[in-house]
Amino acid sequence: MVCVGIDVAKDKHDCFILNSEGEVLADAFTIVNNREGFETLLQRIHTCTTPADKIRVGLEATGHYSYNILGFLLENGMPPFLINPLHTNLYRKSLSLRQTKTDRIDARTIASMLMSDVDLKSYTDTAYHNEELKSLTRYRFDKVRERAKPKQSVSRLVNILFPELEKLVPSLHMASVYAVLSEFPGAKQIANAHLTHLKTVLSDASKGRYDREKAVEIREAARCSIGSVMPAKSLELRHTIALIRELDAEIEEIEAEIRCLMDEIQSPITTIPGINFRMGAMILAEIGDFSRFDSPDKLLAYAGLSPSTYQSGKLNATGAYAHMEKRGSRYLRYALFNATKYVCHWEPTFAAYLARKRAEGKHYNVAISHAVKKLVRLIFALQQSGRAFQAA
């Protein structure tokens, strides 16, 4: 067996090659992060090996920096092994008491880990193409968070310009309310508006839900409003609403791409009541290739949902005081927790399970964490079998 360790960086990669006898076939060398550098690496590997040799290539999971070299290795029939940087760090420290860390040492450490008995799963084409879905779901997540701030600004500005409006509508963040505020950004503008015009704007934006009666109610409230007349705030309100609409359009476009990918995947996860294509896509994208996990418990550990263990002498923190590890993808934990809340609302078995945990005196969040583990086991079983969810 020949093991190739690669320490990935932005502009260059450090590599190290050794065989199963511990013999160094190629001492640490550096390749440039371009096509020529990748071809150089491939040539060095072929120079150090024979057709009968089994080649294992490993590198740390360093996000987007490793994406291109992963694709190159897969194209050339060398499925690489992705290693958690935390695992690499602990392994390097176990080899020496000296605090030494360089890119060359990391490359050798990765090659040595491939020789050890560490249980590693190779990076597959499925995982590589899954990056597309992960990019879209994380991009949508960031856009939704970005949209939250201007929505808070709208609430603040309305409280200054027309505070009575909030009690007249179910929510300020509706298309009909945005349409009115874009046209009349303040109580004074609404009070002076022609009733027919106000009614038309309101009716068109709400698709007929609000009629002349609602327009009269809003205008009368505006005429008695204590809202301030501040042209600068009105201008800020109009621009903020325009920004929210732009973000809405971008999120819709992202979701359309996510739906197309989910239609291709045809995962049974969306058959679980309470999990729509958006949340299902985020869960699938963050987990990646399910074949990497031998059991649901390993998937729980990957998500950082398994309890931490600490025992020393008489101290044993594996019982009631154990805390969740919270390692791994924060996006995955976010998706699982939010999905579980909806599943517990719509699926009777999960609803009964949550109620039972609450009856035991557990805090809501603790009870939800138990339901999350139940949901992960269900998702794992469905993905393994490929069957749609069936209620008990």
Side-chain angles (χ1 to χ4, degrees):
M1 182 183 294
V2 176
C3 294
V4 183
I6 304 175
D7 185 73
V8 176
K10 180 180 179 181
D11 299 317
K12 51 90 177 178
H13 307 316
D14 290 282
C15 311
F16 191 92
I17 305 176
L18 54 80
N19 62 18
S20 54
E21 308 298 327
E23 179 185 356
V24 177
L25 302 180
D27 204 353
F29 61 96
T30 302
I31 61 170
V32 183
N33 188 21
N34 57 26
R35 173 64 67 174
E36 183 180 352
F38 291 176
E39 294 291 349
T40 300
L41 171 62
L42 189 62
Q43 184 179 357
R44 291 292 293 271
I45 293 174
H46 289 320
T47 302
C48 298
T49 59
T50 64
D53 289 333
K54 182 179 180 181
I55 303 173
R56 302 183 79 180
V57 183
L59 60 154
E60 287 182 333
T62 52
H64 63 281
Y65 288 141
S66 60
Y67 193 69
N68 294 327
I69 194 168
L70 283 172
F72 177 81
L73 292 169
L74 286 170
E75 288 174 3
N76 287 276
M78 297 182 184
F81 293 82
L82 269 183
I83 304 174
N84 191 318
L86 179 63
H87 200 173
T88 308
N89 186 40
L90 294 174
Y91 187 84
R92 185 186 67 251
K93 289 180 178 179
S94 69
L95 299 178
S96 173
L97 295 177
R98 298 181 61 187
Q99 293 185 357
T100 54
K101 183 192 181 303
T102 64
D103 294 340
R104 290 171 173 260
I105 291 176
D106 284 345
R108 180 164 191 159
T109 300
I110 293 170
S112 300
M113 287 185 70
L114 295 174
M115 285 294 177
S116 67
D117 294 329
V118 177
D119 184 21
L120 299 173
K121 302 288 186 180
S122 62
Y123 192 77
T124 62
D125 283 306
T126 302
Y128 180 74
H129 294 296
N130 183 68
E131 292 292 334
E132 186 79 4
L133 187 61
K134 182 187 289 186
S135 297
L136 285 171
T137 53
R138 290 191 176 187
Y139 186 44
R140 179 190 174 275
F141 180 85
D142 293 337
K143 282 292 180 183
V144 171
R145 291 190 64 181
E146 183 182 346
R147 185 180 59 182
K149 188 173 181 180
K151 281 189 172 184
Q152 291 174 356
S153 295
V154 167
S155 300
R156 172 179 58 83
L157 292 167
V158 169
N159 195 44
I160 295 172
L161 300 169
F162 188 10
E164 295 81 6
L165 179 62
E166 193 169 6
K167 297 180 180 179
L168 302 177
V169 292
S171 171
L172 291 177
H173 309 293
M174 300 167 57
S176 53
V177 176
Y178 282 175
V180 170
L181 293 176
S182 295
E183 189 80 17
F184 315 104
K188 182 181 178 181
Q189 293 89 330
I190 295 176
N192 296 331
H194 194 281
L195 184 60
T196 303
H197 186 194
L198 178 61
K199 178 258 178 186
T200 301
V201 171
L202 195 60
S203 179
D204 291 346
S206 66
K207 298 180 180 179
R209 179 182 178 185
Y210 294 133
D211 52 12
R212 181 184 177 87
E213 183 180 349
K214 177 59 74 173
V216 170
E217 184 183 9
I218 291 176
R219 192 174 71 165
E220 290 302 317
R223 287 177 173 175
C224 303
S225 176
I226 60 171
S228 302
V229 179
M230 303 178 67
K233 296 295 183 185
S234 295
L235 179 64
E236 184 183 350
L237 178 59
R238 286 176 47 241
H239 286 185
T240 304
I241 291 174
L243 175 60
I244 292 173
R245 285 173 168 171
E246 183 179 343
L247 290 170
D248 283 339
E250 292 176 358
I251 291 171
E252 287 179 8
E253 186 177 357
I254 297 168
E255 289 179 352
E257 291 295 325
I258 292 174
R259 186 182 286 275
C260 290
L261 290 176
M262 287 297 287
D263 289 341
E264 293 177 9
I265 295 172
Q266 291 292 315
S267 171
I269 190 174
T270 53
T271 62
I272 302 174
I275 299 184
N276 59 19
F277 77 95
R278 291 181 293 270
M279 201 59 69
M282 196 169 191
I283 294 171
L284 294 177
E286 295 300 325
I287 292 175
D289 190 356
F290 276 79
S291 64
R292 297 183 299 157
F293 306 100
D294 298 328
S295 66
D297 291 336
K298 290 191 176 182
L299 181 54
L300 284 168
Y302 175 77
L305 296 172
S306 56
S308 60
T309 302
Y310 185 85
Q311 190 275 329
S312 179
K314 295 183 179 180
L315 176 63
N316 188 350
T318 58
Y321 299 101
H323 296 282
M324 196 179 296
E325 288 182 341
K326 290 189 178 180
R327 288 181 175 176
S329 171
R330 64 185 178 93
Y331 296 97
L332 178 56
R333 285 194 298 277
Y334 165 84
L336 287 172
F337 269 87
N338 279 273
T340 302
K341 291 176 183 178
Y342 286 102
V343 172
C344 288
H345 179 76
W346 292 104
E347 212 288 312
T349 305
F350 276 84
Y353 182 78
L354 179 65
R356 188 165 69 250
K357 291 297 178 182
R358 293 285 284 147
E360 293 174 3
K362 289 182 170 56
H363 187 275
Y364 176 77
N365 289 337
V366 176
I368 284 291
S369 69
H370 284 276
V372 168
K373 296 175 183 179
K374 182 179 176 68
L375 179 62
V376 168
R377 294 186 178 94
L378 172 61
I379 292 172
F380 185 85
L382 293 181
Q383 287 292 131
Q384 291 292 94
S385 65
R387 298 176 181 176
F389 172 80
Q390 292 184 347

